[in-house]
Amino acid sequence: MSKAKLVILDCWVSPFCMRVKIALNEKGLEYEAQAEDLFGGKSELLLSSNPIYKKVPVFLHDGKPLCESSIIVNYIDETWSSPPLLPPCSYGRAQARFWADFIDKKVFDACGNIWRSKGEVPVEAKKEFIEILKQLEEALGDKDYFIGTTFGFVDIILIPLTSWFFAVEKIGGFTVEAECPKFSNWMKRCLQRESVAKVVPPPEKVYEFVLMFRKMQGID
Amino acid sequence: MAESNVMVLGTWASPFVLRVKIALHLKSVNYENHEENLPESKSDLLLKSNPVYKKVPVLIHGHNPICESLIIVEYIDEVWTTSASSILPSDAYERAQSRFWAAYVEDKFSTALRRVLFGATEEDKRAAMAEVSEGIVLLEEAFVKLSKGKAFFGGEDIGFVDIVFGSLLEWIEVIEKLSEMKLISEAKTPGLVQWADCFSAHEAVKDVSPDVDKLVEYALKIGARVLKATAATN
């Protein structure tokens, strides 16, 4: 029987791609990451696998494409059950999905409102970003991870986005550690995991990318 | 199975609340309906149960509040398991596809519908209408693919995508009435025409769906203004 082939159409700086890679690492699965050149030209495989959004990540399991990072992570969890990324009880799962959805709706856009701003960063944008982190801090409470004592779904959905926070801090003129120390501790805890450390790029590299992107867009 | 500890916080006009009610009816779960007086006021129970968004629907099961309609429907599917009415497919890949299309309807399609009704400018409404038309064509293709010749996206019986998309049918009809234009038509989307009829007639749907004329009245009252279809076609 041939081994199932796992491929991710990838971009090193995309936090959405990082989610998929972390999930695969957590499950101890080998995969091939095919780098997409999102500025030069998207591959035929990407365009045909994700015709609706034409975005990374796309996960190919034996050639069958799956799109949308949270959906992909769910699929990986359901297909390879150990270790589980979602809690066993239905209410716990609903809570995990709720926070993953909240993160998807709010965090990256709030980052963008800061790093995409021309000139002075609006006070409202900084305030909104910190408020979102404080809401997440409240959800975390005194736990090590978002749902209980083990690293799981919500942590996987959120930790890659934090690789963009250094850029947001530099451009916004504040630090997450000062504003949300509990959140900052959770970040450090997650970044120590091998599955995460292998995937998340150094924040300075992301910052360089953001600066380059700002120049390209005429913001700088 | 009668449940005395299930409550739905909702409003009669909300398609998101409708999803929850359809799912509960499908599973034959009795529940207490708590009608919120939105947008005038929000009950203490709503504010306590959904402090993050302060929105309906909320499902309260025992003491546990669950928020966000898609998450609630998945919760209902997991808790009340009868093999006759599984909302999500059992195959993981098919489940991922259902979630993908449900997310598409939720993130892209329903926001475009809202802009058709409540968009700030004529230009925004026109752009939104074009997005809705494109979206319906995509959903027709998805229907053909997912239904595999059966009546519903879910196959023999209604499933996740049916519930998430089907709950918008009355609001689609509101737009059709106000714009004097068919969005789901025999000419462009014959599959969806048949599907819409089957969905609306389903046991779990027909008694909970809102009346379209009442919805039109309500929509106009809360400020919906839909551009009438122009003579020009593309």
Side-chain angles (χ1 to χ4, degrees):
Chain A
M1 188 167 83
S2 65
K3 235 178 158 179
K5 193 151 174 246
L6 309 180
V7 175
I8 173 176
L9 303 185
D10 182 35
C11 175
W12 70 272
V13 74
S14 157
F16 308 102
C17 293
M18 291 176 215
R19 290 170 173 176
V20 177
K21 290 182 282 190
I22 292 169
L24 291 166
N25 288 343
E26 281 288 314
K27 301 285 187 178
L29 295 164
E30 281 182 28
Y31 59 91
E32 183 191 324
Q34 289 184 14
E36 286 284 330
D37 179 4
L38 300 179
F39 301 112
K42 295 175 181 179
S43 72
E44 272 309 309
L45 182 58
L46 174 58
L47 297 173
S48 63
S49 307
N50 192 355
I52 310 245
Y53 298 115
K54 304 176 177 50
K55 281 184 179 180
V56 290
V58 174
F59 179 62
L60 294 143
H61 183 191
D62 282 341
K64 289 201 296 192
L66 292 111
C67 310
E68 296 299 284
S69 58
S70 303
I71 292 174
I72 297 170
V73 172
N74 246 311
Y75 173 82
I76 289 168
D77 192 39
E78 289 172 6
T79 307
W80 295 277
S81 51
S82 176
L85 302 177
L86 278 162
C89 77
S90 301
Y91 184 59
R93 295 153 85 80
Q95 289 197 295
R97 287 177 180 139
F98 176 87
W99 287 109
D101 177 68
F102 175 87
I103 290 158
D104 265 344
K105 280 186 178 58
K106 305 262 183 184
V107 176
F108 201 58
D109 281 352
C111 286
N113 288 339
I114 295 173
W115 68 257
R116 282 179 194 273
S117 55
K118 198 168 178 145
E120 185 88 29
V121 174
V123 168
E124 268 316 306
K126 286 197 252 189
K127 206 171 146 218
E128 198 200 344
F129 179 77
I130 300 295
E131 257 167 47
I132 289 167
L133 292 196
K134 284 202 191 295
Q135 277 183 297
L136 289 168
E137 256 191 344
E138 208 183 307
L140 182 64
D142 291 318
K143 307 192 295 296
D144 278 353
Y145 301 104
F146 271 88
I147 307 290
T149 53
T150 51
F151 181 78
F153 188 61
V154 181
D155 310 287
I156 292 176
I157 295 302
L158 183 54
I159 193 66
L161 293 166
T162 67
S163 64
W164 285 63
F165 285 7
F166 178 70
V168 167
E169 287 169 329
K170 292 291 270 188
I171 293 166
F174 63 90
T175 70
V176 170
E177 187 156 17
E179 302 283 344
C180 306
K182 260 193 191 169
F183 188 91
S184 185
N185 286 339
W186 166 83
M187 276 171 63
K188 291 179 188 142
R189 193 175 300 125
C190 291
L191 289 167
Q192 278 168 6
R193 285 183 84 79
E194 200 191 327
S195 64
V196 177
K198 279 201 297 195
V199 162
V200 174
E204 292 81 3
K205 237 186 130 188
V206 177
Y207 179 44
E208 262 171 49
F209 172 85
V210 168
L211 290 178
M212 177 213 70
F213 192 80
R214 280 169 63 96
K215 274 206 175 69
M216 262 173 67
Q217 299 275 293
I219 303 171
D220 264 340
Chain B
M1 181 165 77
E3 292 285 343
S4 55
N5 61 347
V6 181
M7 191 192 284
V8 174
L9 307 186
T11 57
W12 69 273
S14 161
F16 312 108
V17 173
L18 182 58
R19 288 168 181 166
V20 175
K21 292 181 177 174
I22 291 171
L24 289 168
H25 278 251
L26 196 61
K27 299 284 190 173
S28 305
V29 176
N30 287 340
Y31 60 94
E32 189 187 320
N33 183 41
H34 178 103
E35 187 77 12
E36 288 283 327
N37 186 24
L38 299 176
E40 282 85 9
S41 65
K42 296 181 182 188
S43 71
D44 283 341
L45 183 58
L46 175 60
L47 297 173
K48 195 180 96 177
S49 310
N50 192 355
V52 175
Y53 298 117
K54 306 175 176 52
K55 280 185 182 178
V56 294
V58 179
L59 179 81
I60 305 181
H61 184 201
H63 299 293
N64 293 333
I66 300 108
C67 310
E68 294 300 288
S69 62
L70 266 59
I71 293 171
I72 297 172
V73 172
E74 283 217 43
Y75 175 83
I76 290 168
D77 197 35
E78 285 184 14
V79 169
W80 289 280
T81 48
T82 59
S83 55
S85 59
S86 180
I87 294 173
L88 277 133
S90 50
D91 175 75
Y93 187 73
E94 287 180 13
R95 203 153 49 242
Q97 289 199 298
S98 291
R99 286 179 176 139
F100 175 87
W101 284 108
Y104 171 78
V105 169
E106 180 72 339
D107 298 336
K108 301 282 175 211
F109 189 73
S110 58
T111 37
L113 284 178
R114 196 177 291 123
R115 277 165 47 224
V116 167
L117 292 154
F118 301 106
T121 62
E122 268 200 26
E123 198 183 318
D124 191 23
K125 287 179 201 262
R126 234 181 285 281
M129 192 59 127
E131 281 173 44
V132 166
S133 301
E134 278 164 29
I136 289 189
V137 170
L138 279 178
L139 287 162
E140 168 84 6
E141 284 168 21
F143 175 70
V144 170
K145 197 168 142 207
L146 295 180
S147 65
K148 299 185 182 109
K150 304 277 191 329
F152 300 107
F153 284 87
E156 297 279 358
D157 203 353
I158 64 174
F160 197 48
V161 183
D162 299 281
I163 293 174
V164 174
F165 182 28
S167 59
L168 297 170
L169 281 171
E170 281 77 29
W171 278 97
I172 290 173
E173 273 189 76
V174 167
I175 292 172
E176 287 180 333
K177 279 189 190 253
L178 292 176
S179 67
E180 294 171 1
M181 184 175 118
K182 280 305 239 177
L183 293 173
I184 298 181
S185 65
E186 258 314 318
K188 287 199 178 140
T189 55
L192 288 183
V193 169
Q194 289 212 358
W195 165 79
D197 284 341
C198 290
F199 183 82
S200 302
H202 193 284
E203 278 301 311
V205 175
K206 62 184 170 53
D207 295 331
V208 277
S209 300
D211 175 72
V212 175
D213 291 325
K214 268 180 88 178
L215 262 190
V216 169
E217 204 185 304
Y218 172 77
L220 293 171
K221 189 176 128 191
I222 59 171
R225 296 290 177 267
V226 178
L227 298 174
K228 287 219 184 357
T230 55
T233 51
N234 42 352

